[in-house]
Amino acid sequence: MIHLNQTGYLPDAAKIAIITYSCDTFLLKDSKTGQIVYEGATKPYNDEKPDEASGDIVYHADFSSFGKEGTYILQAGQSVSSPFSISRNVYSKLKTDLIRSYYFQRCGCALDAAYAGRFVHGCCHTAPAALFDDPSTKLDLSGGWHDAGDYGRYVTAAATALAHLLYAFILFPDRFLEPLNIPESGSTTPDLLNECRYELEWLLKMQRSDGGVFHKVSTWHHAPFVMPEFDTAPLYAYAVATPATADFAAVTALAARIFAPYDNDFSEKLKAASLLSWEFLQTHPEFIAFSNPPGSGTGEYGDSSDRDERFWAAAELFFLTGEARFLDSFLVLYMEDFSKTALGYAAVGGFGCLSFYINPVFAKVPTAEDTTAIPVALHIPGWTDDYIARMPELLNIRENIRGDFLAAAAHRAALIPQNAYLVAMQKSDYCWGSNMTLLNNGILLILGFLLTGNNEYREAALSSLHYLLGRNATGYSYVTGYGTRSCRHPHMRTVFADGIDEPIPGFVSGGPNAYLSDEFGKRHIAEGTPPMKCYLDEYACYSLNEVTIYWNSPAVFVTAFFDAKS
C-alpha cells in the first residue's frame, strides 16, 4: 500500500510517500494526463526491519525536489496512490473547514441552511439548567459549542480550544482574513474571532456572582444518538472547581486584549470577568477539584492540581494589565513542578509560558549595548524600583522558557528518524486522543522554528499534517471529508443521526489508541496490534474515533501556520 498525504504537499517542502511492499523505483504522474513528471528510487527504512510503532517494513519514495504545482498520483510497481496536490495553498480549504467545524458544534441555536448547507438542525439545549447542589435554582447557560461527539459543554475543554485558536490568531493574524460563511460574517471583526465569541459569551454565563466558575453544564447521562434538538433531558450546572475558574480567568484575559480593537465594551466585560475569577482564586487558595457525582455519566475532565491553571491566569492578567501583583503570582508559580510546555486541557503550563514569552514588555527592555535606554518597567502599573532592578531575573526566566520550548521541539524532532512513518510520536503517545498529542507536538515544533529559524523544526511540524492526512500505518486521513480514504463514521451524534451519508467535513478524529477503552475496539482489535494500527472508523469507538473542540483547535494552529500568505 502507498501511504501519503492525501490532501497534498507544499512546493518548497519535503515530499515523501511510504510504501509497505518491496519495490526499487517509483513514478510521479500528472493525475489528469498520466504523463510521468518525476522518477525516483525508493529507499528501504531501517535495513528492511519492522518498525516498532506500526510493525511495517517500509520503503520511502522521496520526491522533495519536485515542486511544480498540480495534481498527481504516485505509482510504485502495480499500485497507484490516491491523487494529491502540490500547491502553496494546499491547506487553505482544510484550514477553513477545521475552523467552520465550530459553527457545526454551536449549541443553543438552530443551524441554518444558508451557513450549514445540508447539515442543518433545530434549536437545542435552551432550557434552564438546574444548579446541581440546589435544583430549585435555574440558570440560563445556553450557547457555546458542544464539546465533542456528545452534547456536554465543559469549561476546561473550552478554554483549551480557545487558547489554541486565539494564540494562532496572535501569531499568524494574516491567516484568518477569509470569511467563514457564518451568521456574523461581514462584520469588521475577523470571523475566527466571531466564532470564538460565540463560545466566550457562553463562558461568561458559567461564572457565578462571586467569580467561581461551574465546571460544566450537561445532562445527567450522555444523550442517545439523536440530533441535538431531541436531547431534551434536564440540564445541570455542576460544581464550581478551581481549574475551571483559573482557565476561565486566563482565557477571558487573553480574549480581552484580542477583542479590544474590535469591540471595546466586550473586551472590558471579559476583563472584568477575568479579574473577578482571579479574586475568587485568591480567596480560595486551596485546590477545589471536580469529580462526577455518583451515577452521573457525562465527561468528567478531572485534574489533580490547579497550579498550572493559576500560572496561566497570572501570565495572561499580567499581559493584560501590567500589574505587579500578577507578575508576583506568576513568578511564585513558575518555581513549582509542572510542565512548562504542555498545551492540553489538564496541563496548560505551556500557555502560561507562551504568554510570558511574547509579552511585549520584554521587547522594549534595554540591551547590554544600550545601557542609556530608560527601562520600560517605569511605565508598568505597580512596578517599583525593585521590579526594575529584577529585570535581569525576569529576562533570565524568559530565556529559560525559550530553552524549555526548544528542548521540547528538539526532543520531538529527534523522534522522526526513529519512526518509519516520519512522525514525531513515540510508542506511548498512541493513547486516547493521540491526534491531539500529534498536533500539540506540531505546535511545539512550530514554536521551535519561530524561535530559531531552523527549517528542521518546520519540516518536523509539517510531518504532523502528513500523518494526520493519510501518511500513517492505517492509510486513513483522520479529518472528515479530506482524502480518498478519510474518516467517515466518527463517534459524533449529529453525524450518526442526520441521515446524510457523508460526514460534516473538517472534524479531526481522536486516532489510534493502543490502550483500548471502548468495548467495540476491544472486541475487534487483536491483542498485540502495533499501536499505530489500533484504530477503527466506527461510531461505537469513542476511545478511537470521537471528535472534540480541542482536537480541532491545534489542527487549526498548525494548518494556519502552513497556509502562508506571503
Side-chain angles (χ1 to χ4, degrees):
M1 190 170 181
I2 300 172
H3 301 279
L4 46 67
N5 183 329
Q6 296 167 31
T7 296
Y9 298 86
L10 295 170
D12 64 344
K15 307 170 195 71
I16 299 174
I18 311 295
I19 302 169
T20 57
Y21 52 88
S22 180
C23 61
D24 297 323
T25 61
F26 68 93
L27 303 173
L28 191 65
K29 296 181 176 181
D30 185 293
S31 66
K32 294 179 181 177
T33 67
Q35 178 185 358
I36 297 172
V37 297
Y38 185 89
E39 299 181 51
T42 63
K43 181 179 179 181
Y45 171 79
N46 195 28
D47 297 324
E48 300 180 293
K49 296 175 183 176
D51 171 53
E52 183 181 31
S54 65
D56 292 337
I57 297 172
V58 310
Y59 302 79
H60 291 173
D62 189 338
F63 52 105
S64 301
S65 61
F66 183 83
K68 184 180 178 181
E69 295 198 2
T71 304
Y72 303 97
I73 56 172
L74 190 143
Q75 181 176 341
Q78 299 304 307
S79 296
V80 177
S81 74
S82 304
F84 61 91
S85 297
I86 296 176
S87 169
R88 65 186 298 271
N89 299 315
V90 68
Y91 304 125
S92 293
K93 187 176 185 300
L94 170 64
K95 179 197 68 181
T96 296
D97 280 342
L98 289 168
I99 300 170
R100 273 180 51 78
S101 73
Y102 293 96
Y103 173 73
F104 291 104
Q105 290 290 72
R106 286 193 185 189
C107 184
C109 67
L111 300 193
D112 189 275
Y115 312 106
R118 296 176 296 162
F119 303 107
V120 296
H121 68 66
C123 191
C124 63
H125 303 105
T126 56
L131 187 62
F132 176 76
D133 295 331
D134 178 14
S136 65
T137 300
K138 306 292 184 180
L139 303 169
D140 174 16
L141 300 180
S142 59
W145 300 322
H146 298 139
D147 174 65
D150 65 282
Y151 297 135
R153 286 160 288 153
Y154 311 93
V155 167
T156 56
T160 301
L162 286 166
H164 291 136
L165 298 173
L166 294 175
Y167 286 123
F169 181 82
I170 290 170
L171 293 173
F172 324 120
D174 64 321
R175 319 296 161 83
F176 300 104
L177 301 179
E178 303 93 340
L180 295 176
N181 188 33
I182 57 177
E184 299 81 6
S185 294
S187 72
T188 57
T189 304
D191 270 355
L192 176 75
L193 299 187
N194 284 326
E195 190 57 60
C196 287
R197 181 168 182 160
Y198 193 84
E199 181 80 336
L200 288 162
E201 295 276 15
W202 164 74
L203 268 183
L204 291 170
K205 294 181 180 181
M206 295 293 285
Q207 185 183 49
R208 206 167 57 183
S209 60
D210 64 351
V213 176
F214 300 116
H215 185 78
K216 66 175 179 176
V217 57
S218 73
T219 52
W220 189 245
H221 292 292
H222 287 311
F225 273 64
V226 297
M227 293 300 283
E229 61 267 36
F230 300 121
D231 176 25
T232 57
L235 291 166
Y236 294 94
Y238 287 77
V240 164
T242 51
T245 302
D247 275 347
F248 175 98
V251 80
T252 49
L254 169 62
R257 58 188 173 85
I258 294 174
F259 275 90
Y262 304 102
D263 187 335
N264 189 64
D265 289 344
F266 185 55
S267 172
E268 289 297 321
K269 185 177 182 181
L270 290 166
K271 178 180 178 180
S274 178
L275 290 169
L276 182 61
S277 283
W278 179 262
E279 292 308 315
F280 178 90
L281 294 169
Q282 305 318 295
T283 305
H284 295 277
E286 74 279 12
F287 173 48
I288 304 175
F290 178 82
S291 58
N292 273 337
S296 178
T298 57
E300 185 167 80
Y301 286 105
D303 208 337
S304 59
S305 169
D306 63 9
R307 308 308 286 171
D308 52 328
E309 286 85 1
R310 290 174 186 258
F311 172 75
W312 180 27
E316 282 300 341
L317 279 163
F318 172 55
F319 198 139
L320 178 65
T321 69
E323 292 182 21
R325 57 177 172 144
F326 301 117
L327 177 61
D328 285 337
S329 293
F330 176 89
L331 294 174
V332 169
L333 290 161
Y334 178 76
M335 301 308 296
E336 297 195 16
D337 185 20
F338 53 81
S339 171
K340 304 302 191 297
T341 59
L343 304 167
Y345 80 84
V348 297
F351 295 137
C353 284
L354 180 59
S355 174
F356 189 78
Y357 189 84
I358 65 176
N359 192 321
V361 68
F362 297 111
K364 303 173 185 177
V365 172
T367 64
E369 294 76 24
D370 185 21
T371 56
T372 61
I374 298 174
V376 69
L378 289 173
H379 82 268
I380 301 297
W383 281 46
T384 63
D385 289 344
D386 175 60
Y387 282 102
I388 297 170
R390 293 174 64 189
M391 185 57 76
E393 173 195 352
L394 303 183
L395 291 174
N396 186 59
I397 290 173
R398 186 171 183 267
E399 189 60 24
N400 288 341
I401 287 171
R402 180 179 186 273
D404 286 342
F405 279 129
L406 289 180
H411 168 66
R412 289 296 164 179
L415 294 174
I416 288 179
Q418 304 172 31
N419 186 297
Y421 286 85
L422 304 174
V423 63
M425 298 277 279
Q426 51 200 9
K427 199 171 180 181
S428 60
D429 289 333
Y430 295 97
C431 55
W432 196 332
S434 62
N435 283 336
M436 177 187 71
T437 302
L438 169 86
L439 292 161
N440 281 343
N441 291 345
I443 294 176
L444 291 172
L445 289 161
I446 288 169
L447 294 178
F449 173 77
L450 294 175
L451 291 169
T452 65
N454 184 344
N455 198 57
E456 178 186 358
Y457 293 135
R458 181 179 182 270
E459 289 290 348
L462 195 48
S463 74
S464 300
L465 275 186
H466 297 328
Y467 172 99
L468 187 74
L469 295 167
R471 199 178 74 182
N472 58 67
T474 69
Y476 275 101
S477 166
Y478 293 121
V479 182
T480 57
Y482 279 81
T484 53
R485 191 172 189 241
S486 61
C487 166
R488 292 180 59 87
H489 308 290
H491 181 88
M492 184 176 178
R493 281 157 176 76
T494 50
V495 169
F496 180 88
D498 64 11
I500 301 169
D501 186 46
E502 296 82 10
I504 303 166
F507 280 91
V508 175
S509 165
N513 176 12
Y515 313 95
L516 301 170
S517 303
D518 58 73
E519 290 304 315
F520 192 97
K522 290 177 181 178
R523 290 199 306 271
H524 291 87
I525 295 178
E527 185 176 350
T529 297
M532 198 189 291
K533 291 182 176 177
C534 290
Y535 173 76
L536 293 170
D537 182 20
E538 294 286 346
Y539 291 115
C541 292
Y542 55 84
S543 73
L544 309 174
N545 207 32
E546 193 167 11
V547 301
T548 78
I549 56 175
Y550 58 92
W551 295 345
N552 260 64
S553 53
V556 171
F557 189 109
V558 174
T559 53
F561 172 73
F562 287 109
D563 185 30
K565 298 302 178 185
S566 58

